[in-house]
Amino acid sequence: KNQVEQSPQSLIILEGKNCTLQCNYTVSPFSNLRWYKQDTGRGPVSLTIMTFSENTKSNGRYTATLDADTKQSSLHITASQLSDSASYICVVSAVVGGGNKLTFGTGTQLKVEL
Amino acid sequence: ETGVTQTPRHLVMGMTNKKSLKCEQHLGHNAMYWYKQSAKKPLELMFVYNFKEQTENNSVPSRFSPECPNSSHLFLHLHTLQPEDSALYLCASSPREGKKETQYFGPGTRLLVL
């Protein structure tokens, strides 16, 4: 069964600190992995997308890594800001029957405090 | 803003009511999606439309009825809902349906069924 597990479930850090969010998946056959940021009361917004051959992708202070062998991804946030407070969702895509099937994680709820 | 709008943003309805959720995208995309997001659960894909044709119905109960009159508009008609249907309903669009297409989400409609 295709699954995406994220950890930690929630996290509180001080402004300016770094943090790393984890995503483990069992999705097969793997197509790509995305990280989304979802602010409270809003829809998810894509941060990064990585295919099998990519092992790192950056978007400003966000850096995602992918280890396709161990089926793990991480999202590293550098010098956190209050606006980083949000839910971060890992989404893995598999090619199924010529189509595309997305499996969503439950998200990591990040809170950045002063 | 992502270019995807949803109305209403909040909706409270009784189990005997009939209501409709509306989604509109201004991105020139050809694929549109309905998702359900419940607390502490991953996003659940409900329906997919590609070039106005429904390409996926993820075993959604018939009390949810989608309608896609054109590539820019997507509706979700609701009738005789149950309290467990209370959730955030997200609409998304992408240039077309496909594994490498990034989906752009609307802000969602927060639905409460009493």
Side-chain angles (χ1 to χ4, degrees):
Chain A
K1 180 182 178 184
N2 287 341
Q3 283 188 313
V4 174
E5 294 184 356
Q6 292 187 242
S7 62
Q9 193 172 54
S10 61
L11 181 63
I12 301 175
I13 62 173
L14 294 177
E15 187 182 28
K17 297 296 185 182
N18 303 335
C19 68
T20 300
L21 314 180
Q22 299 290 344
C23 173
N24 296 342
Y25 61 92
T26 58
V27 174
S28 180
F30 176 85
S31 175
N32 58 62
L33 184 147
R34 290 178 171 87
W35 282 94
Y36 279 88
K37 177 187 179 189
Q38 185 175 17
D39 292 311
T40 301
R42 297 201 171 188
V45 175
S46 179
L47 292 176
T48 63
I49 176 173
M50 288 181 292
T51 58
F52 186 88
S53 59
E54 298 172 299
N55 55 26
T56 187
K57 184 78 68 84
S58 290
N59 178 359
R61 294 179 296 101
Y62 300 103
T63 299
T65 65
L66 173 65
D67 186 333
D69 292 330
T70 61
K71 297 188 177 181
Q72 296 180 326
S73 175
S74 65
L75 181 68
H76 187 75
I77 304 175
T78 304
S80 61
Q81 300 177 359
L82 296 178
S83 58
D84 293 330
S85 297
S87 177
Y88 291 84
I89 303 172
C90 177
V91 185
V92 184
S93 174
V95 179
V96 178
N100 175 43
K101 184 169 179 63
L102 300 181
T103 303
F104 289 80
T106 54
T108 291
Q109 190 67 44
L110 173 66
K111 185 175 182 182
V112 180
E113 295 182 335
L114 290 170
Chain B
E1 298 301 324
T2 62
V4 181
T5 59
Q6 290 187 242
T7 55
R9 293 294 309 276
H10 302 273
L11 179 62
V12 180
M13 58 187 289
M15 289 190 285
T16 59
N17 292 156
K18 288 184 180 181
K19 296 287 184 183
S20 294
L21 310 184
K22 179 183 177 182
C23 174
E24 185 174 359
Q25 56 94 2
H26 311 277
L27 302 169
H29 290 170
N30 293 299
M32 296 188 78
Y33 312 77
W34 278 117
Y35 287 90
K36 176 183 179 183
Q37 187 175 37
S38 303
K40 300 193 185 301
K41 287 187 176 181
L43 267 73
E44 302 171 48
L45 178 64
M46 299 174 72
F47 301 103
V48 181
Y49 278 82
N50 198 35
F51 292 91
K52 301 188 297 178
E53 298 296 321
Q54 186 178 126
T55 56
E56 187 161 344
N57 176 339
N58 229 11
S59 302
V60 180
S62 60
R63 57 186 184 269
F64 295 92
S65 174
E67 179 189 359
C68 187
N70 55 61
S71 293
S72 299
H73 294 86
L74 186 64
F75 295 89
L76 188 62
H77 304 299
L78 317 171
H79 64 97
T80 59
L81 293 192
Q82 305 298 312
E84 59 264 30
D85 296 323
S86 299
L88 180 68
Y89 288 85
L90 290 162
C91 171
S93 73
S94 64
R96 63 197 61 78
E97 188 182 8
K99 60 184 178 181
K100 293 191 176 181
E101 303 292 341
T102 295
Q103 294 180 22
Y104 295 79
F105 286 83
T109 295
R110 176 70 62 184
L111 174 66
L112 177 62
V113 181
L114 300 176

